[in-house]
């Protein structure tokens, strides 16, 4: 038998430097006592230092407070109009003056926040819920389920949301309400969320935690809702935050065209539509609701960009 030893052959000797000659650098040291961090903790740490997030957060909190408690800012009924005050300028208690019908512009701007925020928030909730469910099911089960749902998404994606909303609202003009506008916008707005959710689930379902959970006897539906969806929610939150502002703009556009909310509901889009007739003589009547709409939408867009940067690992490590 051949005698096999651990001695290296000639020319294959290895040199190992003593430990005192190769000390560990500070970058190699690991603080084992430090608490473990998660993606959400890292994202919050990034958001706290982002001026865009702080400014947009303050603006959004203020707008939400105005929408929930409009009586704190004005005691004037926004629907009370007096033609004797038509197009009058600023007065004590009426800082923005009056519109063509003699309504207080300041009161209508304050109460219009409730309508716009309600439509934006309710539409976003429905869109995120429906889009996430459909996209998650398509991405998780695959096969013919994914094929059918993906083709359904393609059909709705081919229809522009605003154009589709105009057609549907024109078909049902007998009754107008906030819920009708919300449902119509959600009908054509869920497709983007579904595509994002499908892609996120496809990326997460092949990771190790799903394989380990299956090996431990977990059912597919439990894996989907207990493990995969919580790890796929980051891009869904980003698109939901960013889309909220677009739904507010869509509601204002539909009200501007006269096919959205009824005239009895105070909305920024409706006030902008009414003010266009006096744009040349009294442009400030149109300026105030337009400014409120622009600030609100800009705040949500800035919030969405900040959240996107915080939840994107590439941007955090850059």
């Amino acid at each position: 038998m051949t005698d096999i030893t651990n001695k290296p052959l000639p020319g294959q000797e290895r040199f190992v430097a003593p430990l005192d000659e190769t000390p560990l650098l500070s970058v190699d040291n690991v603080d084992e006592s430090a608490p473990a961090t998660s993606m959400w903790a890292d994202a919050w740490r990034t958001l706290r230092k982002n001026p865009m997030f702080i400014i947009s957060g303050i603006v959004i909190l203020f707008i939400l407070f105005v929408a929930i408690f409009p009586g704190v800012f004005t005691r004037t009924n926004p629907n009370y109009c007096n033609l004797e005050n038509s197009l009058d300028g600023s007065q004590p208690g009426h800082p923005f003056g009056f519109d063509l019908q003699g309504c207080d512009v300041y009161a209508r701007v304050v109460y219009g926040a409730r309508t716009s925020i309600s439509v934006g928030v309710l539409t976003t909730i429905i869109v995120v819920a429906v889009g996430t469910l459909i996209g998650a099911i398509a991405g998780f089960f695959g096969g013919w389920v994914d094929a059918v749902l993906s083709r359904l998404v393609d059909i709705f994606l081919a229809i522009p949301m605003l154009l589709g909303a105009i057609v549907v609202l024109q078909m049902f003009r007998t009754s107008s309400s906030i819920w009708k506008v919300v449902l119509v916008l959600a009908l054509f707005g869920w497709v983007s969320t579904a595509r994002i959710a499908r892609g996120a689930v496809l990326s997460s379902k092949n990771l190790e935690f799903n394989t380990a959970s299956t090996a431990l006897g977990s059912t597919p539906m439990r894996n989907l809702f207990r493990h995969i969806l919580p790890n796929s929610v980051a891009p869904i939150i980003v698109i939901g935050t960013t889309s909220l502002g677009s739904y507010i703009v869509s509601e204002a556009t539909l009200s501007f065209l006269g096919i959205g909310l009824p005239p009895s509901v105070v909305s920024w889009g409706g006030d902008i539509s009414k003010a266009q007739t006096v744009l040349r003589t009294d442009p400030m009547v149109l300026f105030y609701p337009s400014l409120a709409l622009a600030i609100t939408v800009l705040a949500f867009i800035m919030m969405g960009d900040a959240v996107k940067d915080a939840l994107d690992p590439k941007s955090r490590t850059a």
Side-chain angles (χ1 to χ4, degrees):
M1 294 180 65
T2 304
D3 184 16
I4 300 176
T5 63
N6 293 327
K7 294 181 180 180
L9 298 176
Q12 296 183 353
E13 296 83 358
R14 299 178 181 178
F15 173 76
V16 179
L19 184 61
D20 54 355
E21 295 183 9
T22 58
L24 292 175
L25 300 177
S26 58
V27 72
D28 299 319
N29 296 328
V30 178
D31 186 7
E32 298 181 356
S33 62
T37 60
S38 63
M39 179 188 68
W40 301 107
D42 294 339
W44 174 242
R45 190 179 300 109
T46 303
L47 288 174
R48 289 184 305 178
K49 301 177 182 179
N50 191 340
M52 184 183 299
F53 172 77
I54 296 174
I55 296 173
S56 61
I58 293 174
V59 175
I60 290 174
L61 288 177
F62 175 74
I63 295 172
L64 290 176
F65 185 80
V66 173
I68 298 173
F69 306 104
V72 175
F73 299 91
T74 179
R75 297 186 179 277
T76 304
N77 185 351
N79 290 319
Y80 174 76
C81 305
N82 188 351
L83 289 176
E84 295 180 357
N85 299 324
S86 178
L87 299 179
D88 284 351
S90 176
Q91 299 178 8
H94 309 281
F96 293 170
F98 299 88
D99 61 10
L100 183 62
Q101 301 296 325
C103 305
D104 186 9
V105 176
Y106 173 73
R108 296 186 67 85
V109 169
V110 170
Y111 278 88
R114 172 179 294 180
T115 302
S116 297
I117 296 298
S118 298
V119 171
V121 172
L122 293 175
T123 304
T124 301
I125 292 174
I126 297 175
V127 163
V128 169
V130 175
T132 300
L133 180 61
I134 295 177
I137 292 175
F140 182 76
F141 290 100
W144 67 270
V145 177
D146 184 20
V148 171
L149 293 180
S150 295
R151 299 296 77 76
L152 180 64
V153 170
D154 293 339
I155 292 173
F156 278 89
L157 194 63
I159 305 174
M161 182 179 65
L162 192 58
L163 179 59
I166 292 174
V167 173
V168 174
L169 289 174
Q170 287 281 28
M171 293 171 57
F172 301 96
R173 297 196 64 178
T174 55
S175 61
S176 299
S177 65
I178 291 179
W179 277 108
K180 188 178 74 171
V181 176
V182 168
L183 293 176
V184 170
L185 291 178
L187 176 64
F188 298 98
W190 61 272
V191 288
S192 299
T193 305
R195 295 186 67 186
I196 296 296
R198 176 181 176 274
V201 169
L202 283 174
S203 301
S204 299
K205 74 173 185 178
N206 295 322
L207 298 180
E208 290 80 2
F209 67 84
N210 185 39
T211 305
S213 178
T214 303
L216 292 174
S218 179
T219 62
M221 296 304 296
R222 179 181 175 84
N223 285 344
L224 176 60
F225 291 101
R226 186 70 180 271
H227 303 291
I228 296 177
L229 272 182
N231 286 275
S232 308
V233 74
I236 298 174
I237 292 178
V238 171
I239 190 173
T241 307
T242 307
S243 300
L244 199 152
S246 66
Y247 297 136
I248 294 176
V249 173
S250 298
E251 178 276 321
T253 303
L254 294 174
S255 298
F256 177 83
L257 296 175
I259 58 176
L261 299 175
S264 58
V265 178
V266 180
S267 67
W268 291 333
D271 289 349
I272 294 173
S273 177
K274 296 175 183 177
Q276 63 178 334
T277 58
V278 294
L279 177 60
R280 294 185 178 182
T281 57
D282 292 274
M284 300 307 293
V285 176
L286 181 139
F287 172 77
Y288 293 116
S290 301
L291 179 64
L293 176 64
I295 292 176
T296 302
V297 175
L298 179 61
F300 280 107
I301 292 176
M302 292 173 58
M303 175 68 73
D305 290 341
V307 172
K308 179 181 178 180
D309 294 340
L311 294 177
D312 185 7
K314 296 181 180 179
S315 65
R316 291 204 307 268
T317 58

